[in-house]
Amino acid sequence: MPEKFDLEKVPKIVYQPKYELTLMERFKKMVEKEYKLKFSDYWEFHEWSYKNYPEFWDCVWRFFDIVYSKPYSQVYDRKNSFDNMHWFIDAKINYSQNLLKYRDSRTAIISTDADDNTEYISYKGLYDEVRVYVKALKDEGIKKGDYVACYMSNKTEAVIAFLAAAAIGAIFCGALPLLGVKAVLSRFEQIKPKILFTAGNFTFDSKEFKMDERIPEIVKSLPCLEKVVFCPKKGKKVQEDISNIPKCVYIQDFLYKAREELQDNPKDIEFEQLPFDYPLCISFTSGTTGSPKGLIHSIGSFITTLRDRGLNENCTREDSIFNQSPVGWISWNMTVNSLHLGLTIINYDGYVFQESPMRFWDLVDKYGLTSAYVWSSTLEFMDTHGWAPTANHSLKTLKQLFPVGSPAKPSTFDFITEKVKPGIFCSPAYGCTETFGLISGLDSNMPVYRGEIQALALGMDVRILDEKGNPTIGKRGELVLANPHPALPVAILNDENKEKVREMYLIDHPGYWNVADDAWRNPITKGLIVFGRSDETMNPKGARYNCSDIYFALEDFPGIKDTVVVSQYNKDMDERVILFVMMLPGHPLTDEVKEKINKTIEHHLTHEHVPDIIMETPDIPYNLNGKKLNSVVKKIINKKPILNAEIVINPSSLEFFRNLDLGEF
């Protein structure tokens, strides 16, 4: 992307607006009536929403009928900064009470897998099952403030356990099932959970994950655990053996007593009433140093999903959404949040896009899917391999398809709008773990330009800063948030003075929340292009992780003195990960050593963390404070200028990287 936008090359429109009376239009009319305003377009509405963000979120609360036992006295005090946020002051709510507000016969969740083991659960059935889990958890001694952990593939039991924990006021934490033993323990050891929900082996992205080898080791290393609850596979004739897992019971045994007692004496769930900012769940991000950082999200943070799925995507009780994300990705939590809208979640246990070329399109027709997030890299793969739907697929229910996870190439827009379904609404949906929702905006009553994210999210003042820290349009820079947001983390684990919050998000650009993505905004269309991470984070093919994950996995590897890992990009903005290794004297970096490095990374983390290239380097740059300068190495190998080379305490280390020819890929 050139630094200056060529006015002669406005991207073509790939989606024409339909001007329907969407939830967005109804919401906009409500705001116009209450504040005696008239917005000429989305961008005027967007400007009002972020300049008046307390009023905007107040309207969202009321428009979507959030359930509460005590009203708020104030939405937000503008005097508070990013490290001192308090939302909906004095309100008392319960997360699960809001998500279970519908208790009728409509389908809440469809659970299926590669073997077509399919179960349907209604909203009434979901409430009844959560009630059983709540009683079982209470009988086990779980109470408000306790930690409940989850480590399993994408099963409905995880959703029910989450809702039950939140109903009590317990704090839920999931570790991505793709993670190895060391990575899981680095998360769970910080929270010391009393109970763990888990399950057996599964296949994802053409790889079998041996949970039966990991779980016993994890449990034995967590003496805090009082109970392990195992969820067996559906439709499996031979029961999975749990005899080698300490303190472990099958889910049906864990629930048996509670289920029997509630059949004889059914009682409604007593939802614990809590402040909006009370902890709901922990999402782990690596930061730049040390153990993974636990981001604490609040029970009220689901309000941003109401904006995203409700206003932006116009999802109602008539809609169904597809979810392939297991616990541990924030997209899983966002999907669960969607229950507040009363729609149907299609929960898929596995990786549908690897099972057969037509499997996903078959599921669209089979379950009447209306809306889906799909990884950009997956859509690109499907296009390259000719995995478009056939004449046998009607796709009549599919209204919208949103690329996520990594930047969507212009050709991906062509694939969706020309080969998948002409006229379908599509635009990349862009967000991050910290925002617990979208940073991008979506509106089917606006055009979509080829290669661009359509809009910016309502209520969020999104800016791009140049190298001097000034907001810019038409020039590549760092993406930041300029105003508070109700789903930003309320805290980080073990960070009472907010020092980690300031270090990770606030120091680089004072007055802003640093999202740490490189982005560019079109001065004509106002669309957005996000290029990838500008800091120490990698995002190859949508698998986002931090450089410190790699350092963590290799910290005891024999013969290694130091490492630095960075991303390299090609002209199409594809990303590959390169690991540079400093070896101790007498320890050559042989092919055998490289293979052991890869196996070590995969064992402790996941196969997605394995670098594309491993190379030896004589030195690695550091600053005066002893911080490894990943960003400097990243800029050099991507042929970008270094504006702060004076901070490097060992400048000679840069010569190796400057003279390095990595070639094209």
Side-chain angles (χ1 to χ4, degrees), residues 419-434:
K419 299 178 183 178
V420 173
K421 187 175 182 178
I424 191 173
F425 178 42
C426 73
S427 174
Y430 163 67
C432 62
T433 301
E434 287 81 359

Side-chain angles (χ1 to χ4, degrees), residues 584-638:
L584 291 167
H587 293 269
L589 182 63
T590 62
D591 289 343
E592 183 182 2
V593 172
K594 291 179 182 179
E595 182 62 23
K596 287 181 179 178
I597 289 173
N598 286 336
K599 288 182 177 178
T600 299
I601 291 171
E602 182 173 358
H603 174 73
H604 290 312
L605 302 170
T606 79
H607 69 292
E608 293 177 330
H609 288 77
V610 173
D612 297 287
I613 297 175
I614 300 176
M615 297 182 67
E616 190 166 4
T617 178
D619 201 1
I620 291 172
Y622 279 80
N623 68 9
L624 187 62
N625 295 324
K627 180 182 178 181
K628 192 181 305 185
L629 297 174
N630 297 72
S631 58
V632 171
V633 175
K634 183 175 180 178
K635 287 178 180 178
I636 292 174
I637 69 167
N638 286 290

Side-chain angles (χ1 to χ4, degrees), residues 11-22:
K12 74 173 183 179
I13 294 176
V14 294
Y15 168 81
Q16 292 284 359
K18 298 177 181 177
Y19 301 107
E20 299 172 326
L21 184 59
T22 60

